[in-house]
Amino acid sequence: MNSDFPAKPAIPSTSRSLPISLLRAREVVMQPIRDMLGELGLTEQKWRILRTLDELGEVEQSTIAKEACLLLPSLTRILRGMEADGLISRQSDATDKRRTLVQITDKGRSIVRDNLHLANEIAARIEAHMGQEEAERLLDLLEKLQTAKL
């Protein structure tokens, strides 16, 4: 070996690369959800927004962006379309006009409630494949990873 060149650093194979493994796992999980959403005419982003609002109630746009994993500029654009479709409503905060509060409408809530059983069936299939204990452990590990200061 020629000593003029530094040794090539060991790099894990793609099968043991955390970023690639997370992306591959995401695709496995998301494909049946995409199929469900396609039949509803919803995007993944709109579904996440509806689920977030159904869970949290009326909140600021920044809270939705954080909880639904969306960039604020993208969220603003998506919310305009969702408001036009009657899925959400927006209003200025009574005490601070700079803040916009968003809430799910009855129409949006109906979409979530009417299709939650399908989402739950998908989750149940994943749990059946992994086992309840392993699925819970995976969620715990992912939650722990989210708090990492890298």
Side-chain angles (χ1 to χ4, degrees), residues 67-150:
E67 295 299 318
C69 301
L70 293 165
L71 297 174
L72 200 50
S74 297
L75 175 67
T76 302
R77 178 185 47 78
I78 295 166
L79 290 178
R80 268 195 301 270
M82 292 179 75
E83 187 174 32
D85 292 340
L87 301 175
I88 58 109
S89 65
R90 297 186 293 174
Q91 65 182 13
S92 294
D93 186 318
T95 59
D96 184 350
K97 298 294 183 197
R98 296 171 296 177
R99 293 178 43 194
T100 301
L101 298 174
V102 183
Q103 65 181 350
I104 192 170
T105 62
D106 289 341
K107 180 179 178 182
R109 187 169 285 108
S110 290
I111 290 172
V112 171
R113 301 284 161 84
D114 292 348
N115 293 282
L116 205 50
H117 71 283
L118 296 172
N120 287 339
E121 286 174 12
I122 294 166
R125 289 197 308 261
I126 293 167
E127 187 175 292
H129 173 73
M130 296 184 70
Q132 182 180 0
E133 190 174 304
E134 286 295 310
E136 288 294 326
R137 175 107 173 99
L138 176 60
L139 289 170
D140 291 342
L141 289 169
L142 290 171
E143 192 172 289
K144 181 178 181 179
L145 183 59
Q146 292 172 50
T147 65
K149 305 289 186 220
L150 303 177

Coordinates of all heavy atoms in Angstrom, one line a residue, residues 67-150:
E67 N -45.1 19.9 14.6 CA -45.8 18.7 14.8 C -46.0 17.8 13.6 O -46.0 16.6 13.6 CB -47.1 18.8 15.6 CG -46.9 19.4 16.9 CD -46.1 18.6 17.9 OE1 -46.3 17.4 17.9 OE2 -45.3 19.2 18.6
A68 N -46.2 18.5 12.4 CA -46.5 17.8 11.2 C -45.2 17.6 10.3 O -45.3 17.2 9.2 CB -47.6 18.5 10.4
C69 N -44.1 18.1 10.8 CA -42.8 18.0 10.1 C -42.9 18.7 8.8 O -42.5 18.1 7.7 CB -42.4 16.5 10.0 SG -42.2 15.7 11.5
L70 N -43.2 20.0 8.8 CA -43.3 20.7 7.5 C -42.6 22.1 7.7 O -42.6 22.6 8.8 CB -44.8 21.0 7.2 CG -45.6 19.8 6.8 CD1 -47.1 20.2 6.8 CD2 -45.2 19.4 5.4
L71 N -42.0 22.6 6.7 CA -41.4 23.9 6.7 C -42.5 24.9 6.7 O -43.5 24.7 6.0 CB -40.5 24.1 5.5 CG -39.3 23.2 5.5 CD1 -38.5 23.4 4.2 CD2 -38.4 23.4 6.7
L72 N -42.4 26.0 7.4 CA -43.4 27.0 7.6 C -43.9 27.6 6.2 O -45.1 27.7 6.0 CB -43.0 28.1 8.5 CG -44.1 29.0 9.1 CD1 -45.2 28.1 9.7 CD2 -43.5 29.9 10.2
P73 N -42.9 27.9 5.3 CA -43.4 28.5 4.0 C -44.3 27.4 3.2 O -45.3 27.8 2.6 CB -42.1 28.8 3.2 CG -41.1 29.0 4.3 CD -41.5 28.0 5.4
S74 N -43.9 26.2 3.3 CA -44.7 25.1 2.6 C -46.1 25.0 3.3 O -47.1 24.9 2.6 CB -44.0 23.8 2.7 OG -42.8 23.8 2.0
L75 N -46.0 25.0 4.6 CA -47.3 24.9 5.4 C -48.3 26.0 5.0 O -49.4 25.8 4.8 CB -47.0 24.9 6.9 CG -48.2 25.0 7.8 CD1 -49.0 23.6 7.7 CD2 -47.9 25.2 9.2
T76 N -47.8 27.2 4.9 CA -48.6 28.4 4.6 C -49.3 28.2 3.3 O -50.5 28.4 3.1 CB -47.8 29.7 4.6 OG1 -47.2 29.9 5.9 CG2 -48.7 30.9 4.3
R77 N -48.6 27.7 2.3 CA -49.2 27.4 0.9 C -50.2 26.3 1.0 O -51.3 26.4 0.5 CB -48.0 27.1 0.0 CG -48.5 26.7 -1.4 CD -47.4 26.2 -2.3 NE -46.5 25.2 -1.7 CZ -46.8 23.9 -1.6 NH1 -48.0 23.5 -2.0 NH2 -45.9 23.1 -1.1
I78 N -49.9 25.2 1.7 CA -50.8 24.1 1.9 C -52.1 24.5 2.6 O -53.2 24.1 2.2 CB -50.1 22.9 2.6 CG1 -49.0 22.4 1.7 CG2 -51.1 21.8 2.9 CD1 -48.0 21.5 2.5
L79 N -51.9 25.3 3.6 CA -53.1 25.8 4.4 C -54.1 26.6 3.6 O -55.3 26.5 3.7 CB -52.7 26.5 5.7 CG -52.0 25.7 6.8 CD1 -51.6 26.7 7.9 CD2 -52.9 24.6 7.3
R80 N -53.5 27.4 2.7 CA -54.4 28.2 1.8 C -55.3 27.3 1.0 O -56.5 27.5 0.9 CB -53.6 29.0 0.8 CG -53.3 30.4 1.3 CD -52.8 31.3 0.2 NE -51.6 30.9 -0.5 CZ -50.3 31.2 -0.1 NH1 -50.1 32.0 1.0 NH2 -49.3 30.7 -0.7
G81 N -54.7 26.2 0.4 CA -55.5 25.3 -0.3 C -56.5 24.5 0.5 O -57.7 24.3 0.1
M82 N -56.1 24.1 1.7 CA -57.0 23.4 2.6 C -58.1 24.3 3.1 O -59.2 23.8 3.3 CB -56.2 22.9 3.8 CG -55.2 21.8 3.4 SD -54.2 21.2 4.9 CE -55.5 20.2 5.7
E83 N -57.8 25.5 3.3 CA -58.9 26.5 3.7 C -59.9 26.6 2.5 O -61.1 26.6 2.8 CB -58.3 27.8 4.1 CG -59.3 28.8 4.6 CD -58.7 30.1 5.2 OE1 -57.7 30.5 4.6 OE2 -59.2 30.6 6.1
A84 N -59.4 26.7 1.3 CA -60.3 26.8 0.1 C -61.2 25.6 0.0 O -62.3 25.7 -0.5 CB -59.5 27.1 -1.1
D85 N -60.6 24.4 0.4 CA -61.4 23.2 0.3 C -62.3 23.0 1.5 O -63.0 21.9 1.6 CB -60.4 22.0 0.2 CG -59.6 22.0 -1.1 OD1 -60.1 22.6 -2.1 OD2 -58.6 21.3 -1.2
G86 N -62.2 23.9 2.5 CA -63.1 23.8 3.6 C -62.7 22.8 4.7 O -63.4 22.4 5.5
L87 N -61.4 22.4 4.7 CA -60.8 21.4 5.6 C -60.3 22.1 6.9 O -60.3 21.4 7.9 CB -59.7 20.6 5.0 CG -60.0 19.9 3.7 CD1 -58.8 19.2 3.1 CD2 -61.1 18.8 4.0
I88 N -59.9 23.3 6.8 CA -59.4 24.0 8.0 C -60.0 25.5 7.9 O -60.4 25.9 6.9 CB -57.9 24.1 8.1 CG1 -57.2 24.7 6.8 CG2 -57.3 22.6 8.2 CD1 -56.7 26.0 7.1
S89 N -59.9 26.1 9.1 CA -60.2 27.6 9.1 C -59.0 28.3 9.8 O -58.4 27.7 10.7 CB -61.5 27.9 9.8 OG -61.5 27.5 11.1
R90 N -58.8 29.5 9.4 CA -57.7 30.3 10.0 C -58.3 31.6 10.4 O -59.2 32.2 9.8 CB -56.6 30.6 9.0 CG -55.9 29.3 8.5 CD -54.7 29.6 7.6 NE -55.1 30.2 6.3 CZ -54.2 30.6 5.4 NH1 -53.0 30.5 5.6 NH2 -54.7 31.1 4.3
Q91 N -57.7 32.1 11.5 CA -58.1 33.5 12.0 C -56.9 34.1 12.7 O -56.1 33.4 13.3 CB -59.3 33.4 12.9 CG -59.1 32.7 14.2 CD -60.4 32.6 15.0 OE1 -61.5 32.9 14.5 NE2 -60.3 32.2 16.2
S92 N -56.9 35.4 12.8 CA -55.9 36.1 13.5 C -56.2 36.0 15.0 O -57.4 36.0 15.4 CB -55.9 37.6 13.2 OG -55.5 37.8 11.8
D93 N -55.2 35.9 15.8 CA -55.3 35.8 17.3 C -55.9 37.1 17.7 O -55.4 38.2 17.3 CB -53.9 35.5 17.9 CG -54.0 35.3 19.4 OD1 -54.7 36.0 20.1 OD2 -53.3 34.4 19.9
A94 N -56.9 37.0 18.6 CA -57.5 38.3 19.1 C -56.6 39.1 19.9 O -56.7 40.4 19.9 CB -58.7 37.9 20.0
T95 N -55.6 38.6 20.6 CA -54.7 39.4 21.4 C -53.4 39.7 20.7 O -52.7 40.7 21.1 CB -54.3 38.6 22.7 OG1 -53.7 37.3 22.3 CG2 -55.5 38.3 23.6
D96 N -53.1 39.0 19.6 CA -51.8 39.3 18.9 C -52.1 39.1 17.4 O -52.1 37.9 16.9 CB -50.7 38.4 19.4 CG -49.4 38.7 18.7 OD1 -49.3 39.5 17.7 OD2 -48.3 38.2 19.1
K97 N -52.4 40.1 16.7 CA -52.8 40.0 15.3 C -51.7 39.5 14.4 O -52.0 39.1 13.2 CB -53.2 41.4 14.7 CG -54.4 42.0 15.5 CD -55.6 41.2 15.2 CE -56.9 41.8 15.8 NZ -58.0 40.9 16.0
R98 N -50.5 39.4 14.9 CA -49.4 38.8 14.1 C -49.5 37.3 14.0 O -48.9 36.6 13.1 CB -48.0 39.2 14.6 CG -47.7 40.7 14.5 CD -46.5 41.0 15.3 NE -46.8 40.7 16.7 CZ -45.9 40.8 17.7 NH1 -44.7 41.2 17.4 NH2 -46.2 40.5 18.9
R99 N -50.2 36.7 15.0 CA -50.3 35.2 15.1 C -51.6 34.8 14.3 O -52.6 35.4 14.4 CB -50.4 34.8 16.5 CG -49.2 35.0 17.3 CD -49.3 34.6 18.8 NE -50.0 33.4 18.9 CZ -50.6 32.9 20.0 NH1 -50.5 33.6 21.1 NH2 -51.2 31.8 20.0
T100 N -51.4 33.7 13.6 CA -52.6 33.1 12.9 C -52.9 31.7 13.6 O -52.0 30.9 13.8 CB -52.3 32.8 11.4 OG1 -52.0 34.1 10.8 CG2 -53.5 32.2 10.7
L101 N -54.1 31.6 14.0 CA -54.6 30.3 14.6 C -55.3 29.5 13.6 O -56.1 30.1 12.8 CB -55.5 30.6 15.8 CG -54.8 31.4 16.9 CD1 -55.8 31.8 18.0 CD2 -53.6 30.6 17.5
V102 N -55.1 28.2 13.6 CA -55.7 27.3 12.6 C -56.5 26.2 13.4 O -56.0 25.8 14.4 CB -54.6 26.7 11.8 CG1 -55.2 25.8 10.7 CG2 -53.7 27.7 11.1
Q103 N -57.6 25.9 12.8 CA -58.4 24.8 13.4 C -59.0 23.9 12.3 O -59.2 24.4 11.2 CB -59.4 25.2 14.4 CG -60.5 26.0 13.8 CD -61.5 26.5 14.9 OE1 -61.5 26.1 16.0 NE2 -62.4 27.4 14.5
I104 N -59.2 22.7 12.6 CA -59.8 21.8 11.7 C -61.3 22.1 11.6 O -61.9 22.4 12.7 CB -59.6 20.3 12.1 CG1 -59.9 19.3 11.0 CG2 -60.2 19.9 13.4 CD1 -59.4 17.9 11.2
T105 N -61.9 21.9 10.5 CA -63.4 22.1 10.3 C -64.1 20.8 10.5 O -63.4 19.7 10.6 CB -63.7 22.7 8.9 OG1 -63.3 21.7 8.0 CG2 -63.1 24.0 8.7
D106 N -65.4 20.8 10.6 CA -66.2 19.6 10.7 C -65.9 18.7 9.4 O -65.8 17.5 9.6 CB -67.7 19.9 10.8 CG -68.0 20.4 12.1 OD1 -67.3 20.3 13.1 OD2 -69.1 21.1 12.2
K107 N -65.7 19.3 8.3 CA -65.4 18.5 7.1 C -64.1 17.8 7.2 O -63.9 16.6 6.9 CB -65.5 19.4 5.8 CG -65.1 18.7 4.5 CD -65.2 19.7 3.4 CE -64.8 19.0 2.1 NZ -64.8 19.9 0.9
G108 N -63.1 18.5 7.7 CA -61.8 18.0 7.9 C -61.8 16.9 8.9 O -61.2 15.8 8.7
R109 N -62.5 17.1 10.0 CA -62.6 16.1 11.1 C -63.3 14.9 10.6 O -62.9 13.7 10.9 CB -63.3 16.7 12.3 CG -63.3 15.8 13.5 CD -63.8 16.5 14.8 NE -62.8 17.4 15.3 CZ -62.9 18.8 15.2 NH1 -63.9 19.4 14.7 NH2 -61.9 19.5 15.7
S110 N -64.3 15.0 9.7 CA -65.0 13.8 9.2 C -64.0 13.0 8.4 O -64.1 11.8 8.4 CB -66.2 14.3 8.3 OG -67.2 14.8 9.1
I111 N -63.2 13.6 7.6 CA -62.2 12.9 6.8 C -61.3 12.0 7.7 O -61.1 10.9 7.4 CB -61.4 13.8 5.9 CG1 -62.3 14.4 4.8 CG2 -60.2 13.1 5.3 CD1 -61.7 15.4 3.9
V112 N -60.8 12.7 8.8 CA -59.9 11.9 9.7 C -60.7 10.8 10.3 O -60.3 9.6 10.3 CB -59.4 12.9 10.8 CG1 -58.7 12.1 11.9 CG2 -58.4 13.9 10.2
R113 N -61.9 11.1 10.9 CA -62.6 10.1 11.6 C -63.1 8.9 10.7 O -63.1 7.8 11.1 CB -63.8 10.7 12.3 CG -63.5 11.8 13.3 CD -62.9 11.3 14.6 NE -62.2 12.2 15.4 CZ -62.7 13.1 16.2 NH1 -64.0 13.2 16.4 NH2 -61.9 13.9 16.9
D114 N -63.5 9.3 9.5 CA -64.0 8.3 8.5 C -62.9 7.3 8.1 O -63.2 6.2 7.6 CB -64.7 8.9 7.3 CG -66.0 9.6 7.7 OD1 -66.5 9.4 8.8 OD2 -66.5 10.4 6.8
N115 N -61.6 7.8 8.2 CA -60.5 7.0 7.6 C -59.5 6.5 8.7 O -58.6 5.8 8.3 CB -59.8 7.8 6.5 CG -60.8 8.0 5.3 OD1 -60.9 7.0 4.6 ND2 -61.4 9.1 5.2
L116 N -59.7 6.9 9.9 CA -58.8 6.5 11.0 C -58.7 5.0 11.1 O -57.7 4.4 11.4 CB -59.2 7.1 12.3 CG -58.2 7.3 13.3 CD1 -56.9 8.0 12.7 CD2 -58.7 8.1 14.5
H117 N -59.8 4.3 10.8 CA -59.8 2.8 10.9 C -58.8 2.2 9.9 O -58.1 1.2 10.2 CB -61.2 2.2 10.8 CG -61.8 2.3 9.4 ND1 -62.3 3.5 8.9 CD2 -61.9 1.4 8.4 CE1 -62.7 3.3 7.6 NE2 -62.4 2.0 7.3
L118 N -58.7 2.8 8.7 CA -57.8 2.4 7.7 C -56.3 2.6 8.2 O -55.5 1.7 8.0 CB -58.0 3.1 6.4 CG -59.4 2.8 5.7 CD1 -59.6 3.7 4.5 CD2 -59.5 1.3 5.3
A119 N -56.1 3.8 8.7 CA -54.7 4.1 9.2 C -54.4 3.1 10.4 O -53.3 2.6 10.5 CB -54.7 5.5 9.7
N120 N -55.4 2.8 11.2 CA -55.2 1.9 12.3 C -54.9 0.5 11.9 O -54.1 -0.2 12.4 CB -56.3 2.0 13.3 CG -56.4 3.2 14.1 OD1 -55.4 3.9 14.3 ND2 -57.5 3.6 14.6
E121 N -55.6 0.1 10.8 CA -55.3 -1.2 10.2 C -53.9 -1.3 9.7 O -53.2 -2.4 9.8 CB -56.3 -1.5 9.1 CG -57.7 -1.8 9.5 CD -58.7 -1.9 8.4 OE1 -58.3 -2.0 7.2 OE2 -59.9 -1.9 8.7
I122 N -53.4 -0.3 9.0 CA -52.0 -0.3 8.6 C -51.1 -0.4 9.7 O -50.1 -1.2 9.7 CB -51.8 1.0 7.7 CG1 -52.6 1.0 6.5 CG2 -50.3 1.2 7.4 CD1 -52.7 2.3 5.7
A123 N -51.3 0.4 10.8 CA -50.5 0.3 12.0 C -50.5 -1.1 12.6 O -49.5 -1.6 13.0 CB -50.9 1.4 13.0
A124 N -51.7 -1.7 12.6 CA -51.8 -3.0 13.2 C -51.1 -4.1 12.3 O -50.5 -5.0 12.9 CB -53.3 -3.4 13.2
R125 N -51.0 -3.9 11.0 CA -50.2 -4.8 10.2 C -48.8 -4.7 10.5 O -48.0 -5.7 10.5 CB -50.5 -4.6 8.7 CG -51.9 -5.0 8.3 CD -52.1 -5.2 6.8 NE -51.7 -4.0 6.0 CZ -52.5 -3.1 5.5 NH1 -53.8 -3.2 5.7 NH2 -52.0 -2.1 4.8
I126 N -48.3 -3.5 10.7 CA -46.9 -3.3 11.0 C -46.6 -3.9 12.4 O -45.6 -4.6 12.5 CB -46.6 -1.8 11.0 CG1 -46.7 -1.2 9.6 CG2 -45.2 -1.5 11.6 CD1 -46.7 0.3 9.5
E127 N -47.5 -3.7 13.3 CA -47.3 -4.3 14.7 C -47.3 -5.8 14.6 O -46.5 -6.5 15.3 CB -48.3 -3.7 15.6 CG -48.1 -4.2 17.0 CD -49.1 -3.6 18.0 OE1 -49.0 -2.3 18.2 OE2 -49.9 -4.3 18.6
A128 N -48.2 -6.3 13.8 CA -48.3 -7.8 13.7 C -47.0 -8.4 13.1 O -46.5 -9.4 13.5 CB -49.5 -8.2 12.8
H129 N -46.4 -7.6 12.1 CA -45.2 -8.1 11.5 C -44.0 -8.0 12.5 O -43.2 -9.0 12.6 CB -44.8 -7.2 10.3 CG -43.5 -7.5 9.7 ND1 -43.2 -8.6 9.0 CD2 -42.3 -6.8 9.8 CE1 -42.0 -8.6 8.6 NE2 -41.4 -7.5 9.1
M130 N -44.0 -7.0 13.3 CA -42.8 -6.8 14.2 C -43.1 -7.4 15.6 O -42.1 -7.7 16.3 CB -42.6 -5.3 14.4 CG -42.1 -4.6 13.2 SD -41.7 -2.9 13.5 CE -40.2 -3.1 14.5
G131 N -44.3 -7.5 16.0 CA -44.7 -7.8 17.4 C -44.9 -6.6 18.2 O -44.2 -5.6 17.9
Q132 N -45.8 -6.6 19.1 CA -46.1 -5.4 19.8 C -44.9 -4.8 20.6 O -44.7 -3.6 20.6 CB -47.3 -5.7 20.8 CG -47.7 -4.4 21.6 CD -48.8 -4.7 22.6 OE1 -49.3 -5.8 22.7 NE2 -49.2 -3.6 23.3
E133 N -44.2 -5.7 21.3 CA -43.1 -5.3 22.1 C -42.0 -4.6 21.2 O -41.5 -3.5 21.6 CB -42.5 -6.5 22.8 CG -41.5 -6.1 23.9 CD -41.0 -7.3 24.7 OE1 -41.9 -8.0 25.3 OE2 -39.8 -7.5 24.7
E134 N -41.7 -5.2 20.1 CA -40.7 -4.6 19.2 C -41.2 -3.3 18.6 O -40.4 -2.3 18.4 CB -40.3 -5.6 18.1 CG -39.4 -6.7 18.6 CD -38.0 -6.2 19.1 OE1 -37.4 -5.5 18.4 OE2 -37.7 -6.6 20.2
A135 N -42.4 -3.2 18.2 CA -43.0 -2.0 17.7 C -42.9 -0.9 18.7 O -42.5 0.3 18.4 CB -44.4 -2.2 17.2
E136 N -43.3 -1.2 19.9 CA -43.2 -0.2 21.0 C -41.7 0.2 21.2 O -41.4 1.4 21.4 CB -43.8 -0.7 22.3 CG -45.3 -0.8 22.3 CD -46.0 0.6 22.2 OE1 -45.5 1.6 22.7 OE2 -47.0 0.6 21.5
R137 N -40.8 -0.7 21.2 CA -39.4 -0.4 21.4 C -38.9 0.5 20.2 O -38.1 1.4 20.5 CB -38.6 -1.7 21.4 CG -37.1 -1.6 21.5 CD -36.6 -1.9 22.9 NE -35.1 -1.9 22.8 CZ -34.4 -0.8 23.3 NH1 -35.0 0.2 23.8 NH2 -33.1 -0.9 23.2
L138 N -39.3 0.2 19.0 CA -38.9 1.0 17.9 C -39.4 2.5 18.1 O -38.6 3.4 17.9 CB -39.4 0.4 16.6 CG -39.2 1.3 15.3 CD1 -37.7 1.5 15.1 CD2 -39.8 0.6 14.1
L139 N -40.6 2.6 18.5 CA -41.2 4.0 18.7 C -40.4 4.7 19.8 O -40.1 5.9 19.7 CB -42.6 3.9 19.1 CG -43.6 3.6 17.9 CD1 -45.0 3.3 18.4 CD2 -43.6 4.7 16.9
D140 N -40.0 3.9 20.9 CA -39.2 4.5 22.0 C -37.9 4.9 21.5 O -37.4 6.0 21.8 CB -39.1 3.5 23.1 CG -40.4 3.3 23.9 OD1 -41.3 4.1 23.8 OD2 -40.4 2.2 24.6
L141 N -37.2 4.1 20.7 CA -35.9 4.4 20.1 C -36.0 5.6 19.2 O -35.1 6.5 19.2 CB -35.3 3.2 19.4 CG -34.9 2.1 20.3 CD1 -34.6 0.8 19.5 CD2 -33.7 2.5 21.2
L142 N -37.0 5.7 18.4 CA -37.1 6.8 17.5 C -37.4 8.1 18.2 O -36.9 9.2 17.9 CB -38.2 6.6 16.4 CG -37.9 5.5 15.4 CD1 -39.2 5.2 14.6 CD2 -36.8 5.9 14.5
E143 N -38.2 8.0 19.3 CA -38.4 9.2 20.1 C -37.1 9.7 20.8 O -36.8 10.9 20.9 CB -39.5 8.8 21.2 CG -40.0 10.0 21.9 CD -41.2 9.6 22.8 OE1 -42.3 9.3 22.3 OE2 -41.0 9.6 24.1
K144 N -36.3 8.7 21.3 CA -35.1 9.0 21.9 C -34.1 9.7 20.8 O -33.5 10.7 21.1 CB -34.4 7.8 22.4 CG -33.1 8.0 23.1 CD -32.5 6.7 23.6 CE -31.2 7.0 24.3 NZ -30.6 5.7 24.9
L145 N -34.1 9.2 19.6 CA -33.3 9.8 18.6 C -33.7 11.2 18.3 O -32.9 12.1 18.0 CB -33.4 8.9 17.3 CG -32.5 9.3 16.1 CD1 -31.0 9.4 16.5 CD2 -32.8 8.4 14.9
Q146 N -35.0 11.5 18.3 CA -35.5 12.8 18.0 C -35.0 13.9 19.0 O -35.0 15.1 18.7 CB -37.0 12.9 18.0 CG -37.7 12.1 16.9 CD -39.1 12.0 17.0 OE1 -39.8 13.0 17.3 NE2 -39.7 10.8 16.9
T147 N -34.6 13.5 20.2 CA -34.1 14.4 21.2 C -32.6 14.6 21.2 O -32.0 15.3 22.0 CB -34.5 13.9 22.6 OG1 -33.9 12.7 22.9 CG2 -36.0 13.8 22.8
A148 N -31.9 13.8 20.3 CA -30.5 13.9 20.2 C -30.0 15.3 19.7 O -30.6 15.9 18.9 CB -30.0 12.8 19.2
K149 N -28.9 15.7 20.3 CA -28.3 17.0 20.0 C -27.0 16.6 19.2 O -26.0 16.4 19.7 CB -27.9 17.8 21.2 CG -29.0 18.1 22.1 CD -30.0 19.1 21.5 CE -31.0 19.5 22.5 NZ -32.3 19.6 22.0
L150 N -27.2 16.5 17.9 CA -26.1 16.0 17.0 C -25.2 17.1 16.5 O -25.4 18.0 16.0 CB -26.6 15.1 15.9 CG -27.4 13.9 16.4 CD1 -28.0 13.1 15.2 CD2 -26.6 13.0 17.2

